[in-house]
Amino acid sequence: MDSLACDANEVSHTTRRAFCADLLLTSTGLILAAPTVSKVVAAQDSMVAYPPRKIEGAETLMPGSGLYFNYPTRNDPALLLRSTDGEYRAYSRRCSHAGCSVEFDGPRRCLTCPCHNGAYDARMGQVMFGPPRRPLDEIVLQMRAGGQLWAIGKSFGRNTEMIAKDLGGGD
């Protein structure tokens, strides 16, 4: 019986050691993954749906050019851009720094803010230089039957192509 008790203690001791090692590894993994998980959760909560609105004139927009419109209300200036490869992107025209209206600079492929000389990349809405600290709010677009382009919401940092697909739009 003593030999049986001795074997039970060794198994318990080995299991406890293995358990602690696994616990340490798992805890470390969770700590390292926490920033990524929080970014994913924040990104999922960053889209706000608004009533859909057809963007008039989008179908005639030439590649490399832009079209001003308002979304989600007539007091919210926005800009639709069509890249040289034909893809559409839309952004709020309100600078994330001071709320001034940004303008499209086609030759430089950027959106400029005249108030404090800030600039945003036209392809992604990211800050290129100047005082703004965060990208422009992106308007979520959806291509509908007949080639009609609709604005369906605003994204605050998430990939809008994924959002449109999640909402039933996109390919």
Side-chain angles (χ1 to χ4, degrees):
M1 227 190 206
D2 288 333
S3 68
L4 197 55
C6 186
D7 289 342
N9 285 338
E10 285 179 27
V11 170
S12 176
H13 180 71
T14 304
T15 302
R16 191 176 310 132
R17 179 174 289 158
F19 173 77
C20 288
D22 288 345
L23 181 63
L24 180 65
L25 288 172
T26 303
S27 298
T28 302
L30 288 173
I31 289 169
L32 293 174
T36 303
V37 171
S38 64
K39 286 178 186 174
V40 169
V41 169
Q44 289 174 346
D45 294 335
S46 66
M47 194 271 191
V48 176
Y50 291 102
R53 177 175 295 155
K54 180 182 176 196
I55 302 174
E56 298 294 334
E59 63 281 351
T60 63
L61 190 62
M62 298 301 293
S65 59
L67 171 73
Y68 295 113
F69 68 106
N70 294 309
Y71 186 80
T73 72
R74 64 185 149 150
N75 296 324
D76 296 305
L79 172 63
L80 175 67
L81 300 173
R82 188 166 186 194
S83 67
T84 53
D85 61 356
E87 288 188 37
Y88 292 99
R89 291 270 189 200
Y91 303 99
S92 168
R93 287 188 57 207
R94 288 211 173 111
C95 175
S96 64
H97 172 244
C100 300
S101 286
V102 298
E103 301 292 328
F104 177 55
D105 184 343
R108 292 176 41 204
R109 291 187 214 155
C110 67
L111 304 162
T112 59
C113 179
C115 294
H116 299 104
N117 295 321
Y120 300 88
D121 175 60
R123 291 169 292 166
M124 300 300 288
Q126 299 293 322
V127 176
M128 292 172 60
F129 58 84
R133 298 269 188 249
R134 64 177 192 83
L136 291 171
D137 295 337
E138 191 167 356
I139 308 295
V140 181
L141 301 173
Q142 185 180 66
M143 186 63 73
R144 294 193 177 174
Q148 296 179 350
L149 193 63
W150 289 67
I152 61 170
K154 274 191 177 182
S155 173
F156 304 94
R158 186 174 176 203
N159 181 341
T160 57
E161 291 173 3
M162 292 175 62
I163 293 170
K165 287 180 181 178
D166 291 346
L167 294 173
D171 298 324

